[in-house]
Amino acid sequence: MSMASATDATLVHPGGSPETEEKAFGFWIYLMSDAIIFALLFMTYLVMFGNTAGGPEAKDVFSLERAAAETFLLLMSSTTFGMASIAAARADRERVVMWLVVTVALGLGFIFLEFSEFRGMIAEGAGPSRSGFLSAFFTLVGTHGLHVSIGLIWIVTMLAQIGMKGLSVPVLSRLYRLGLFWHFLDIIWVAIFSIVYLPGLL
Amino acid sequence: MDFFGRLTLDSLPFYSAIAASGAGVTVLGGLSVVALITYLGAWKALFGEWLSSLDHKKIGIMYVVVALVMLMRGFIDAAMMRSQQAVAFNSDGYLPPGHFDQIFSSHGTIMIFFMAMPFLSGIINFVMPQQIGSRDVAFPFMNAVSLWLTAAGAGLVLISLVIGKFSTAGWTGYPPYSGPEFTPGVGVDYWLWAVLISGIGSTMSGINFLVTILKRRAPGMTMFRLPLFTWTVFVAAILMIFAFPALTVACVMLALDRTLDFHFFTNAGGGNMMNYINLFWLWGHPEVYILILPAFGVFSEVVAVFSQKRLFGYISLVLATMAIGILSFTVWLHHFFTMGSSETVNSFFGIMTTIIAVPTGVKVFDWLLTMFRGRLIFKPPMLFTIGFLVTFVIGGLSGVLLAMPPVDYLMHNTTFLIAHFHNMIIPGVLFGYLAGYMFWFPKAFGFKLNEWWGTASFWCWIIGFYLAFMPLYVLGLMGMPRRMEHYDIAAWQPHLIVAAIGAFIIFLGIVCLGVQLWVSVRDRRSALDVSGDPWNGRSLEWLTASPPAPYNFAVLPKVEAIDAFWDMKARGVAYVQPKEYEPITMPKNTLIPLLVGGTAFVFGFAMVWWIWWLAVATLAFIGGLVIFRSFDDDPDFTMPASTVQAIEDRRYEQLAKHPANEMADEPGYAGDPSPDPLPEGAR
Amino acid sequence: MLTSADLNPKGPISLAERQLLFDAFFIMMIVIVPVFVMAALFTWRYRGTNRKARYDPGFVYYWPVEILVWGAPAAIIVWLGFHLWDGTHKLDPYDPIDKSVEPLEVQVVAQDWKWLFIYPEQSIAVVNELVFPTGKPLSLKITSDTVMNSFVIPALGGQIYAMAGMQTKLHLLADENGEYWGRNVQYSGYGFADQQFHAISVSDEDFENWVQKAKDAGKMLDKEGYEALAKPSSKLPVTYYSSVTPGLFDSIIYKYTKGNAHGYAMQCTTPELAQASQASGGETGSRAE
């Protein structure tokens, strides 16, 4: 029990100094701004859903199996990132590294699946220039994928920093913000899954 | 694959004498700045102390420099439009449509994105941290990145004069006209990337300002003791954070349409142009308030200081500011009542729009009531404020008229609309920034601006404004559309000639600003601000030295009331030197933000000209810079207490030699600060 | 010839729109005039050198004044709001002016940089000239075969956007015979400044004669003819077409919307979404009817 509460405290107040707290707060605000970007992309997708211009429709191009696999990978990566955060709170450097590596692997799997989905669609003539609907789809899902890719670069950077600097206060602070980012992308993906893939296929 | 994308020698502007001379002026202007810096031997100081600085005050000043340079450029565009329309009755004038269209597009783009926005960010950067008793903004590094991204965008607009052409699609870039089918050249791409790159900078500025206000206030500075300028920045920052994503999304989609053949806004292929227009104004309307709220803040500070009286109705003004901020997100559809929405939709957005007039009206009355039973001193900032009060309500009137959908059916897209928004933006925004520039200039440089030339500038601006824009109201009522390169209705011409004369008088106002700066620098020794408090100020920025020490406050002030500095003066604790000082930690200078901005400029250029390898390389380089910076765990340095002591000793020596209050010689001076007798409920 | 103003209305729509402008203007004067008076008065009276004026630095809050400065503008906005609601509903450009009268229907197509008017009942078409009988409501269906345009005849009323793949509507009426100018007021590119047309209201008899004149022109507006006409051109003289391929107007709209599937809502569950998707659907125009 006592360990859990210590963990919570560290997760909520990374490093504890006003400076790191400020950075975490600023990052929250950035995420809110980014959430608006996604909200507008979702809105655009809904507006353009029927604008298929004689091209393929959602049910022709989406695969529930792939989307489910992507969801699984990303949700798992969020869990493993959570494990890394717990290890960080315990100052267990090796476990942090291990869990982050697992997270990268899962994230790469997600990106690979998405990339092959996109490539397959383009090969079938269902690329983003085919119709307004597909433009909106590629932009929405692609923007999320781009965020995940940036997140992966960030994780790799953090692995390097942990290797060089250990779990210092600035490193923990960055790790905390990276966690916010990674879980945020998970939430966005859940929205993509339930607004893009599920209604498109059911 | 072409190494230079679609960039060829034909992109140079030798096809037209006017375009070539514009390019020539731009290139010569750039070269002469380089020559001047070399002549002065100032390169080292420039890079070492300014371009690499993370100090919010220097960043603020550099923003204002960008704004003033772009004001010239934007004004030249305006003058060309006015002179073209003055002569283009039944004739083609001297500008062909393709060129005239670039000019109105660049005028709007420059004035909004690269004049007003940097001016605003500059004044906020310089003033706000001092007003809340802070040593810097929350994220100084990001602050510098914002500056250089804005400068990169401005650079793209400027270089479009020399290489290629600018957009002809207006500052709003409505598709499908701005799409690849109708404007395939580089013009719209220049517009897009300039706006996108600077827009990212603005979003980051918004985050920075908000966190600074929420987290960096001096002890005792509660939210309801914040000076009104800081309150307006607070609301504007929230608007920046939530509105700019809409602009980013709209522009990215348009860029995808243009470069990768997407179909967001095309006529065919399942595009929907109205989605762009909705997204654009979802940003565009809050943007108006992003620009104007801080100007309202400036007016609030100025009117109180030069009425020698506390602001009337502080709480009302704060509430009105917040109300405007919230309402600004609920009115965007009034930019396109004529789209054919249902009468209920139009009525809703029309009524929401008129409701904004209520808090705005409250503000106007509260400013007037601040003057009531005050002792007014007519320094140039105060003149701009009074000029604003009178002129702005006319713009408010025409705004309410345009908010009535049936009236808008008639007046939309006419010069009435042009007159309306210039009537909001020149007196409302620009007068505010100019007032702020003259108000805080002594704080930034330690000497006052020449008052005679400031007053002359004010009169030129306001007379020029009325002459230039009242005829446009009339022309709008006569049905004259905006953006007319020529016309065949004789009755319009006299009004357009008057408008051109007005533009010329505004030009004199700009000349006066230049002369004012020149004369003030030349005669600076006779107008030194030694106390740091040249106007008998009320808020904390006047507590610091002029120019302030790098750390602003050697010891963070303890705030006990609204108008914190006035209160400290009244209690006699403003100038008590502490016994000893503590070391102060501040960010080290770094050239990385400049490098990020410079690379972003090259990236934008590469995207405009489809030089893909360069775009990828520059983007990777920016990513590398950010990662490189993230490895730096020691970005700060600590100024030892002894250095602080030395700086402060010098300041107190100076203070002792001069009377603290430089306004005391004014004939209208109302007396030294004393605790105000306040009625119940006002504390 | 082409001199007319919004302030000189020739029909009930522009007259009512102008009246609303005047009403709102005068209502607003209730707050505007006090501002002018106070600004002038306070600036003069409380100038620093005037030591006779009362100086009261403690006058920074007074609750009756606070109520007034919020209440007065709010009351005026409520008053204006009623006018606004009422005016917007009465002057909805989609509403027929007089339901008991059969209007003259004209289909309007914005092109680079000219206007094509198709008279489906008369089966004629004309470029850059809109002729109609005085006193008979005019029902315009408007679309664009190029970028977004905005259609207006200031003397009669307006305006409304013309957008590709969509149809908007406008109802106008002229009270007296006359010649007015109409034009595109939404910037549309190189030939924008010259994109105007004559709007001429004539007696019933003259209208019949005019229709006959068009019929005698002997030129067909078929698919090929239309394609040629739609190419960018400016300052085109008035051109008559004695017959028009039926359904041409709809085919111009359909060209941009064909192949679009049903909306998102069909696969979604809530009726709100279903409605929203219909509203955004292509062929019905920008408004669900």
Side-chain angles (χ1 to χ4, degrees):
Chain A
M1 267 305 117
S2 63
M3 184 216 77
S5 59
T7 309
D8 291 348
T10 324
L11 290 177
V12 175
H13 299 293
S17 81
E19 203 178 311
T20 51
E21 211 180 293
E22 242 170 39
K23 283 182 177 157
F25 181 68
F27 199 78
W28 272 108
I29 294 172
Y30 151 71
L31 288 180
M32 284 158 75
S33 187
D34 212 11
I36 305 266
I37 288 190
F38 279 107
L40 295 172
L41 290 175
F42 277 116
M43 185 211 81
T44 302
Y45 177 80
L46 293 182
V47 166
M48 311 211 62
F49 187 77
N51 296 9
T52 46
E57 295 173 34
K59 62 176 184 310
D60 307 329
V61 286
F62 296 163
S63 140
L64 196 56
E65 291 78 31
R66 192 199 305 269
E70 286 171 316
T71 310
F72 175 76
L73 286 175
L74 208 60
L75 288 183
M76 282 310 290
S77 82
S78 225
T79 314
T80 55
F81 198 100
M83 301 306 278
S85 300
I86 293 171
R90 287 182 185 161
D92 187 342
R93 181 167 155 177
E94 268 146 51
R95 291 238 164 154
V96 173
V97 171
M98 185 196 86
W99 284 117
L100 285 184
V101 169
V102 176
T103 309
V104 169
L106 290 166
L108 281 175
F110 171 87
I111 290 293
F112 172 76
L113 278 184
E114 189 163 279
F115 185 74
S116 63
E117 177 188 24
F118 282 9
R119 209 178 49 178
M121 283 173 74
I122 293 169
E124 284 168 27
S129 54
R130 179 61 192 85
S131 70
F133 157 65
L134 287 166
S135 300
F137 166 78
F138 274 90
T139 307
L140 169 59
V141 179
T143 304
H144 177 267
L146 194 66
H147 276 70
V148 174
S149 309
I150 292 169
L152 288 172
I153 295 173
W154 191 354
I155 299 179
V156 173
T157 309
M158 289 316 299
L159 282 169
Q161 292 199 358
I162 294 170
M164 288 163 65
K165 302 162 187 279
L167 293 175
S168 65
V169 171
V171 169
L172 281 175
S173 157
R174 279 171 214 140
L175 209 53
Y176 172 79
R177 278 173 276 142
L178 173 57
L180 293 182
F181 187 67
W182 198 255
H183 299 312
F184 167 76
L185 294 182
D186 222 24
I187 294 168
I188 298 292
W189 179 261
V190 170
I192 288 179
F193 185 73
S194 17
I195 292 175
V196 175
Y197 288 101
L198 274 184
L201 288 166
L202 295 178
Chain B
M1 196 178 94
D2 284 329
F3 192 71
F4 288 114
R6 46 178 172 168
L7 179 60
T8 64
L9 275 180
D10 294 336
S11 312
L12 295 172
F14 298 126
Y15 44 84
S16 128
I18 297 171
S21 55
V25 169
T26 310
V27 172
L28 279 179
L31 287 179
S32 51
V33 170
V34 169
L36 182 72
I37 296 168
T38 311
Y39 172 74
L40 295 173
W43 283 108
K44 199 164 169 237
L46 188 68
F47 274 90
E49 287 168 34
W50 285 89
L51 304 187
S52 62
S53 177
L54 301 192
D55 181 336
H56 71 98
K57 299 180 286 296
K58 287 182 175 162
I59 287 174
I61 291 165
M62 287 189 280
Y63 263 122
V64 174
V65 170
V66 172
L68 290 176
V69 169
M70 296 310 277
L71 174 67
M72 306 293 166
R73 169 68 212 283
F75 178 78
I76 292 170
D77 290 337
M80 289 175 83
M81 278 188 282
R82 282 285 132 258
S83 50
Q84 163 75 14
Q85 287 195 331
V87 299
F89 165 60
N90 270 343
S91 99
D92 290 337
Y94 68 101
L95 290 171
H99 198 163
F100 182 78
D101 308 343
Q102 287 183 57
I103 288 173
F104 70 66
S105 303
S106 65
H107 170 75
T109 306
I110 286 173
M111 287 306 200
I112 297 288
F113 293 100
F114 301 110
M115 189 284 288
M117 285 305 283
F119 216 148
L120 156 106
S121 304
I123 292 179
I124 294 175
N125 252 306
F126 184 80
V127 176
M128 181 271 286
Q130 298 192 66
Q131 276 200 335
I132 62 173
S134 169
R135 288 188 177 135
D136 207 328
V137 294
F139 311 117
F141 178 80
M142 195 166 88
N143 199 21
V145 173
S146 296
L147 165 70
W148 294 114
L149 289 180
T150 307
L156 280 174
V157 176
L158 287 181
I159 203 158
S160 75
L161 259 187
V162 184
I163 306 171
K165 293 179 178 178
F166 195 65
S167 170
T168 57
W171 79 277
T172 53
Y174 273 16
Y177 178 76
S178 60
E181 190 187 347
F182 297 99
T183 42
V186 294
V188 177
D189 297 292
Y190 265 123
W191 176 79
L192 270 175
W193 289 103
V195 165
L196 262 175
I197 290 171
S198 69
I200 290 167
S202 299
T203 313
M204 297 198 309
S205 293
I207 296 174
N208 219 335
F209 297 150
L210 184 68
V211 176
T212 306
I213 294 173
L214 286 174
K215 296 281 185 186
R216 288 273 171 119
R217 299 190 309 277
M221 180 62 93
T222 57
M223 287 304 273
F224 277 91
R225 285 177 185 165
L226 287 178
L228 213 84
F229 176 73
T230 299
W231 262 116
T232 58
V233 173
F234 177 75
V235 176
I238 293 174
L239 297 188
M240 281 159 115
I241 293 161
F242 290 110
F244 265 90
L247 179 70
T248 307
V249 167
C251 287
V252 165
M253 286 175 179
L254 186 57
L256 288 169
D257 271 10
R258 291 183 60 82
T259 40
L260 295 176
D261 194 25
F262 279 38
H263 286 289
F264 279 110
F265 313 124
T266 51
N267 272 345
N272 182 348
M273 76 189 89
M274 289 319 296
N275 191 31
Y276 175 92
I277 297 175
N278 271 297
L279 285 169
F280 185 86
W281 290 114
L282 203 53
W283 160 80
H285 203 84
E287 165 69 4
V288 177
Y289 293 97
I290 293 170
L291 297 179
I292 212 166
L293 284 176
F296 285 174
V298 176
F299 293 130
S300 303
E301 303 297 318
V302 167
V303 79
V305 165
F306 293 107
S307 300
Q308 308 189 70
K309 190 172 158 229
R310 212 180 93 186
L311 205 54
F312 185 92
Y314 172 85
I315 300 281
S316 269
L317 282 165
V318 172
L319 293 179
T321 306
M322 291 202 248
I324 292 174
I326 293 164
L327 287 171
S328 72
F329 280 103
T330 63
V331 300
W332 80 89
L333 195 125
H334 71 212
H335 295 271
F336 43 97
F337 279 146
T338 53
M339 175 180 74
S341 334
S342 73
E343 61 269 63
T344 310
V345 170
N346 277 354
S347 303
F348 171 79
F349 281 96
I351 288 173
M352 292 316 284
T353 306
T354 53
I355 289 177
I356 292 196
V358 175
T360 316
V362 168
K363 281 179 170 253
V364 169
F365 285 118
D366 279 341
W367 290 319
L368 286 169
L369 287 162
T370 306
M371 289 160 64
F372 179 70
R373 292 182 188 166
R375 283 244 190 280
L376 310 190
I377 295 178
F378 301 111
K379 301 281 180 188
M382 185 63 172
L383 292 178
F384 275 107
T385 303
I386 296 172
F388 149 77
L389 276 173
V390 174
T391 312
F392 185 74
V393 290
I394 300 173
L397 165 69
S398 60
V400 169
L401 296 181
L402 284 172
M404 321 277 289
V407 175
D408 187 69
Y409 298 155
L410 268 188
M411 311 315 298
H412 184 52
N413 271 329
T414 67
T415 58
F416 190 90
L417 175 73
I418 306 301
H420 160 67
F421 70 71
H422 283 86
N423 198 343
M424 304 314 267
I425 288 189
I426 292 177
V429 176
L430 192 63
F431 281 15
Y433 298 166
L434 289 177
Y437 159 76
M438 294 182 191
F439 188 52
W440 283 303
F441 186 93
K443 178 53 56 186
F445 296 102
F447 57 95
K448 291 194 222 181
L449 284 171
N450 183 289
E451 281 169 25
W452 194 92
W453 285 102
T455 308
S457 175
F458 163 73
W459 285 110
C460 289
W461 269 100
I462 194 149
I463 293 169
F465 169 80
Y466 277 97
L467 280 179
F469 291 100
M470 292 304 133
L472 293 195
Y473 277 125
V474 177
L475 283 165
L477 291 170
M478 296 168 78
M480 181 180 176
R482 66 196 293 196
R483 299 176 174 172
M484 290 286 275
E485 187 262 340
H486 62 264
Y487 51 93
D488 56 10
I489 295 182
W492 292 352
Q493 194 173 28
H495 300 282
L496 288 164
I497 291 172
V498 175
I501 295 170
F504 179 74
I505 296 177
I506 290 180
F507 169 70
L508 295 181
I510 295 179
V511 170
C512 289
L513 284 177
V515 175
Q516 181 195 35
L517 188 60
W518 168 253
V519 169
S520 308
V521 172
R522 192 191 59 194
D523 302 339
R524 61 188 175 279
R525 302 209 181 284
S526 63
L528 286 181
D529 166 25
V530 284
S531 68
D533 181 20
W535 313 116
N536 196 15
R538 313 183 75 84
S539 40
L540 282 177
E541 75 270 29
W542 304 111
L543 174 60
T544 60
S546 292
Y551 45 73
N552 298 348
F553 303 95
V555 176
L556 292 186
K558 302 243 180 322
V559 176
E560 293 185 9
I562 301 178
D563 283 356
F565 178 52
W566 184 271
D567 172 69
M568 290 168 81
K569 287 192 283 189
R571 286 188 288 121
V573 297
Y575 297 112
V576 180
Q577 191 174 13
K579 289 270 172 317
E580 55 184 0
Y581 293 94
E582 284 181 9
I584 296 172
T585 303
M586 281 175 294
K588 276 188 260 193
N589 285 6
T590 163
L591 281 168
I592 293 178
L594 178 66
L595 218 49
V596 169
T599 317
F601 169 78
V602 179
F603 167 74
F605 188 80
M607 290 306 289
V608 169
W609 291 98
W610 298 356
I611 312 172
W612 305 125
W613 63 269
L614 185 61
V616 172
T618 44
L619 208 55
F621 186 65
I622 292 174
L625 283 173
V626 172
I627 292 173
F628 174 77
R629 168 76 180 183
S630 79
F631 275 82
D632 186 357
D633 282 342
D634 186 25
D636 298 329
F637 74 98
T638 299
M639 183 183 275
S642 58
T643 316
V644 179
Q645 178 93 47
I647 296 174
E648 292 296 308
D649 282 348
R650 225 174 308 137
R651 164 145 167 81
Y652 278 93
E653 237 168 72
Q654 234 182 9
L655 277 173
K657 269 191 265 172
H658 295 273
N661 193 338
E662 290 161 13
M663 281 280 271
D665 303 333
E666 286 292 327
Y669 187 62
D672 289 336
S674 61
D676 292 334
L678 293 181
E680 272 311 297
R683 287 235 176 238
Chain C
M1 174 189 66
L2 291 174
T3 51
S4 178
D6 294 357
L7 288 178
N8 190 15
K10 299 293 183 196
I13 302 295
S14 55
L15 183 70
E17 287 171 348
R18 189 194 65 169
Q19 192 54 47
L20 192 64
L21 184 133
F22 285 170
D23 289 347
F25 180 86
F26 287 114
I27 293 173
M28 286 292 286
M29 282 300 133
I30 298 171
V31 269
I32 304 286
V33 171
V35 170
F36 286 157
V37 172
M38 284 162 82
L41 204 67
F42 295 173
T43 304
W44 177 248
R45 171 136 188 96
Y46 298 108
R47 65 193 190 278
T49 46
N50 179 14
R51 293 282 151 174
K52 280 184 286 193
R54 182 163 162 203
Y55 174 58
D56 182 4
F59 185 72
V60 296
Y61 173 83
Y62 183 52
W63 66 264
V65 171
E66 297 277 355
I67 289 174
L68 192 69
V69 298
W70 282 92
I76 283 164
I77 291 307
V78 170
W79 187 7
L80 270 177
F82 279 111
H83 272 273
L84 190 153
W85 180 271
D86 190 49
T88 308
H89 281 73
K90 274 191 190 144
L91 293 169
D92 182 9
Y94 278 47
D95 284 350
I97 291 168
D98 183 351
K99 286 201 176 75
S100 63
V101 183
E102 186 67 24
L104 171 69
E105 194 175 306
V106 182
Q107 297 162 336
V108 184
V109 184
Q111 299 176 335
D112 281 338
W113 289 276
K114 56 201 167 278
W115 290 95
L116 172 66
F117 301 99
I118 302 170
Y119 291 67
E121 287 157 49
Q122 288 75 12
S123 187
I124 57 166
V126 54
V127 174
N128 284 345
E129 186 176 79
L130 176 63
V131 177
F132 48 94
T134 305
K136 185 173 185 177
L138 189 56
S139 168
L140 303 170
K141 292 194 163 68
I142 302 169
T143 192
S144 165
D145 196 9
T146 174
V147 302
M148 189 166 94
N149 279 226
S150 193
F151 176 95
V152 69
I153 305 170
L156 300 184
Q159 63 194 271
I160 197 119
Y161 287 158
M163 295 168 282
M166 292 181 236
Q167 175 195 299
T168 48
K169 291 184 188 174
L170 183 63
H171 290 86
L172 297 174
L173 175 66
D175 285 333
E176 50 184 271
N177 293 349
E179 186 172 343
Y180 322 111
W181 60 269
R183 59 168 297 122
N184 168 30
V185 287
Q186 174 73 40
Y187 174 74
S188 62
Y190 198 88
F192 164 69
D194 294 313
Q195 194 181 353
Q196 51 193 346
F197 62 89
H198 306 273
I200 306 169
S201 56
V202 294
S203 65
D204 289 358
E205 195 186 326
D206 285 347
F207 179 68
E208 293 307 324
N209 292 340
W210 177 81
V211 170
Q212 198 51 49
K213 187 169 108 189
K215 290 249 181 230
D216 293 344
K219 236 168 141 184
M220 268 281 291
L221 188 62
D222 52 12
K223 272 233 167 312
E224 290 76 46
Y226 179 81
E227 296 297 325
L229 177 67
K231 295 215 168 70
S233 59
S234 56
K235 297 188 187 175
L236 222 60
V238 175
T239 314
Y240 300 100
Y241 294 94
S242 52
S243 68
V244 183
T245 308
L248 179 65
F249 183 76
D250 290 336
S251 75
I252 296 166
I253 296 177
Y254 183 63
K255 173 165 81 174
Y256 295 113
T257 58
K258 64 175 175 239
N260 281 352
H262 40 69
Y264 179 82
M266 295 296 184
Q267 323 214 344
C268 235
T269 43
T270 64
E272 288 87 335
L273 274 174
Q275 267 181 353
S277 85
Q278 273 171 12
S280 67
E283 282 159 79
T284 49
S286 62
R287 183 198 291 196
E289 291 177 62

